[in-house]
Amino acid sequence: MKNVMIVIEYDGTNYHGWQYQKNAVTVQEVLEKAIKKVTGEEVNLIGASRTDTGVHALYQVANFRTTTKIPVKNLPYALNSVLPDDVVVVQAKEVDDSFHARYSAKKKRYRYLILNRKFPMPTMRNYCWHIDYPLNIEKMKKAASYLVGTHDFSAFKASGSSKTSTIRTVHDLTIEKNEDFISIEIEADGFLYNMVRIIVGTLVYVGLGKIKENTLYDILNSKDRTKAGITAPSEGLYLIKIIY
Amino acid sequence: MKNVMIVIEYDGTNYHGWQYQKNAVTVQEVLEKAIKKVTGEEVNLIGASRTDTGVHALYQVANFRTTTKIPVKNLPYALNSVLPDDVVVVQAKEVDDSFHARYSAKKKRYRYLILNRKFPMPTMRNYCWHIDYPLNIEKMKKAASYLVGTHDFSAFKASGSSKTSTIRTVHDLTIEKNEDFISIEIEADGFLYNMVRIIVGTLVYVGLGKIKENTLYDILNSKDRTKAGITAPSEGLYLIKIIY
């Protein structure tokens, strides 16, 4: 029995997120079906991150156990030949039996893409958040600096969240502007439910002047979701790295 | 009667190109319908470039005549409110009566995007040409240098082309690599049918070693389409500028 790790990219537009659901198509499901077609085996595919509906991945990691005779290095080609073209396996390797895509992950990194100009861009309509009012980047950077470090992120957690501890460590939070696009990257040891999208929505409110950049510390301390900004839409969010 | 110029962006994936066709949806048609809804007038919308099925535009120009009372500066908002979200009007202004989007154009510029890595990228599947074998950029640049200037481009013209003169002036042809993406930009006073895509297909053959970089002059002189490379697929092509 081999433990196989795969790296996957996907366009989340047409999926109800990563995790298996009864009445909706998910990325986990199409991958499990592809593995079944290729190996003949029903596997339980463990994903590092349970991305939401519409969220994209440039680097998602998953693992499964198999007795297949297909050489592991050939698995990406075999799986891609039966996968829809919005899900692509870019790497496969055999890993130690103890490897668990979710529990072994030390850090995760997300990117959020904003288009900041007067009109939306048709070719990017499923891949960014369009904001027509000019954002103040310097204020957003200042606000972001308060969030780096170990904090109780209760104020940045969706109410449906069932995680027991709300303490997380944000290792990096960078904001970069490139022509009309603003890219926000966040790396942490873990994320509460919708945490990245609430952080982005709050930073956007700072950029619009709706929230003062120097109140982020107070928002964190309030542990009150209603003090933070809106939840940014899913289409601008990309899972870009899992660090083990 | 005002002569109105509009600048349009579109995602060409779901359209049979720019130009009106009887049994297929085109960008010209959806724009003319939007203008009808907003102004009540049936107009003949003249586009600067008749882009093919699947080709995108980051900057297409068109003009039409209207007696509408709607202020011209408000037209983008009015039109976008009734357009599908893969076509966006980003600018509108009144122009001299003599302005003709196609005949007044001095130069056009296109970009072609290639993804050069082992596996395709799901989020870019409709927006680039995936080539899995490494391309030699230096050879492609050398080959491109032969095409700049005024030449008979018969060898780079699809057979269905009805243009009378096959002489065109390529003012600029640049190739840039950025991580796994290769961007080829071509600016000319005009283009023969499929000329950009045949130039790109030929440069890719040079990058693959199938055509020698120093034979481009001979290919031009042969005026023989069969000497050039394949026609690159439409999804990697973007109209990016019209110069008047």
Side-chain angles (χ1 to χ4, degrees):
Chain A
M1 197 76 145
K2 281 180 285 202
N3 188 10
V4 173
M5 177 199 109
I6 57 176
V7 177
I8 313 124
E9 293 193 21
Y10 49 86
D11 179 334
T13 309
N14 298 318
Y15 295 96
H16 279 72
W18 169 266
Q19 183 129 11
Y20 181 81
Q21 284 180 37
K22 254 189 177 156
N23 299 310
V25 181
T26 66
V27 180
Q28 182 186 8
E29 182 189 336
V30 301
L31 279 163
E32 288 183 352
K33 280 186 179 165
I35 293 167
K36 175 87 194 283
K37 270 191 199 164
V38 163
T39 67
E41 297 172 348
E42 302 227 357
V43 305
N44 174 32
L45 187 66
I46 299 157
S49 175
R50 287 170 284 190
T51 57
D52 278 337
T53 298
V55 174
H56 314 294
L58 302 181
Y59 194 100
Q60 165 77 293
V61 175
N63 75 295
F64 63 99
R65 283 174 171 77
T66 177
T67 61
T68 185
K69 294 274 193 296
I70 302 169
V72 172
K73 69 172 171 41
N74 295 352
L75 276 176
Y77 301 96
L79 292 169
N80 291 337
S81 72
V82 298
L83 279 166
D85 64 1
D86 49 7
V87 179
V88 172
V89 176
V90 298
Q91 198 185 311
K93 64 175 180 181
E94 193 175 344
V95 286
D96 193 82
D97 193 60
S98 65
F99 178 86
H100 185 286
R102 189 157 73 253
Y103 301 145
S104 305
K106 294 268 188 299
K107 290 190 275 185
K108 294 173 190 168
R109 191 175 181 93
Y110 285 90
R111 177 183 300 148
Y112 197 96
L113 201 59
I114 293 167
L115 172 64
N116 193 25
R117 63 171 204 179
K118 206 191 278 188
F119 295 104
M121 184 181 272
T123 52
M124 289 295 288
R125 68 195 184 286
N126 296 322
Y127 307 107
C128 65
W129 184 16
H130 170 239
I131 294 172
D132 60 358
Y133 191 88
L135 294 170
N136 185 320
I137 301 285
E138 292 315 312
K139 288 185 177 179
M140 291 170 72
K141 285 183 177 173
K142 174 74 180 161
S145 68
Y146 289 98
L147 300 176
V148 177
T150 304
H151 306 285
D152 183 329
F153 280 95
S154 295
F156 298 89
K157 178 193 77 157
S159 54
S161 179
S162 61
K163 296 277 172 74
T164 44
S165 167
T166 49
I167 310 281
R168 292 292 180 277
T169 300
V170 171
H171 295 279
D172 187 36
L173 177 36
T174 57
I175 304 176
E176 278 182 13
K177 191 163 162 61
N178 189 264
E179 295 183 358
D180 291 332
F181 286 97
I182 296 166
S183 171
I184 301 176
E185 294 198 5
I186 309 182
E187 191 170 301
D189 60 349
F191 293 91
L192 303 172
Y193 187 50
N194 276 354
M195 180 171 147
V196 179
R197 290 164 58 189
I198 298 170
I199 287 176
V200 169
T202 304
L203 294 176
V204 162
Y205 268 21
V206 168
L208 293 171
K210 291 186 182 184
I211 290 179
K212 287 273 179 208
E213 65 275 20
N214 53 12
T215 61
L216 267 284
Y217 190 69
D218 299 330
I219 296 173
L220 272 172
N221 280 346
S222 76
K223 299 176 194 172
D224 178 358
R225 170 68 188 90
T226 67
K227 303 288 187 206
I230 56 166
T231 305
S234 61
E235 62 265 28
L237 186 59
Y238 300 72
L239 173 61
I240 62 168
K241 193 74 184 170
I242 309 287
I243 296 142
Y244 291 98
Chain B
M1 197 76 147
K2 281 180 285 204
N3 188 10
V4 173
M5 178 197 109
I6 55 176
V7 177
I8 312 124
E9 293 195 20
Y10 49 85
D11 179 334
T13 309
N14 298 319
Y15 294 96
H16 279 73
W18 170 266
Q19 183 127 8
Y20 181 80
Q21 283 180 37
K22 256 193 177 154
N23 300 310
V25 182
T26 66
V27 180
Q28 183 187 8
E29 182 189 336
V30 301
L31 279 164
E32 288 183 352
K33 280 185 178 167
I35 293 168
K36 176 85 193 284
K37 269 190 200 165
V38 163
T39 67
E41 297 173 347
E42 301 229 357
V43 305
N44 175 31
L45 187 67
I46 300 158
S49 175
R50 287 171 285 193
T51 57
D52 279 336
T53 298
V55 175
H56 315 293
L58 302 182
Y59 195 101
Q60 165 77 293
V61 176
N63 75 295
F64 64 99
R65 283 172 172 78
T66 178
T67 60
T68 186
K69 295 273 189 298
I70 302 169
V72 172
K73 69 173 170 42
N74 294 352
L75 276 176
Y77 300 96
L79 292 170
N80 291 337
S81 72
V82 297
L83 279 167
D85 64 359
D86 50 6
V87 178
V88 173
V89 177
V90 297
Q91 199 185 310
K93 63 174 180 182
E94 194 175 343
V95 287
D96 193 84
D97 193 60
S98 65
F99 179 86
H100 185 285
R102 189 156 73 255
Y103 300 145
S104 304
K106 296 266 188 299
K107 291 189 272 186
K108 292 173 191 166
R109 191 174 181 94
Y110 284 90
R111 177 183 299 147
Y112 197 95
L113 201 59
I114 293 168
L115 172 64
N116 193 25
R117 63 172 203 177
K118 205 190 279 186
F119 295 104
M121 183 181 273
T123 53
M124 289 295 290
R125 68 195 186 285
N126 295 321
Y127 307 107
C128 66
W129 183 15
H130 171 238
I131 294 172
D132 60 357
Y133 191 88
L135 295 170
N136 184 319
I137 301 285
E138 292 314 313
K139 288 185 176 178
M140 291 170 73
K141 285 183 178 173
K142 174 75 180 162
S145 68
Y146 289 98
L147 300 177
V148 176
T150 305
H151 306 285
D152 183 329
F153 281 94
S154 296
F156 297 88
K157 179 193 75 156
S159 53
S161 179
S162 60
K163 296 275 173 75
T164 44
S165 168
T166 50
I167 310 284
R168 292 291 181 278
T169 300
V170 170
H171 294 280
D172 188 35
L173 177 37
T174 56
I175 304 175
E176 278 182 12
K177 191 163 162 61
N178 189 265
E179 295 183 359
D180 291 333
F181 287 96
I182 296 165
S183 171
I184 300 176
E185 293 199 5
I186 309 182
E187 190 171 302
D189 59 349
F191 293 92
L192 303 172
Y193 188 50
N194 276 356
M195 181 169 145
V196 179
R197 289 164 58 188
I198 298 169
I199 286 176
V200 169
T202 304
L203 294 177
V204 163
Y205 268 22
V206 168
L208 293 171
K210 291 187 182 184
I211 289 179
K212 287 275 179 206
E213 65 275 20
N214 54 10
T215 62
L216 267 283
Y217 189 71
D218 300 331
I219 294 172
L220 270 173
N221 279 346
S222 76
K223 299 174 194 174
D224 178 359
R225 170 70 188 88
T226 67
K227 303 288 187 207
I230 55 166
T231 304
S234 61
E235 62 265 29
L237 187 58
Y238 300 73
L239 174 61
I240 62 166
K241 192 76 185 170
I242 309 286
I243 297 143
Y244 292 98

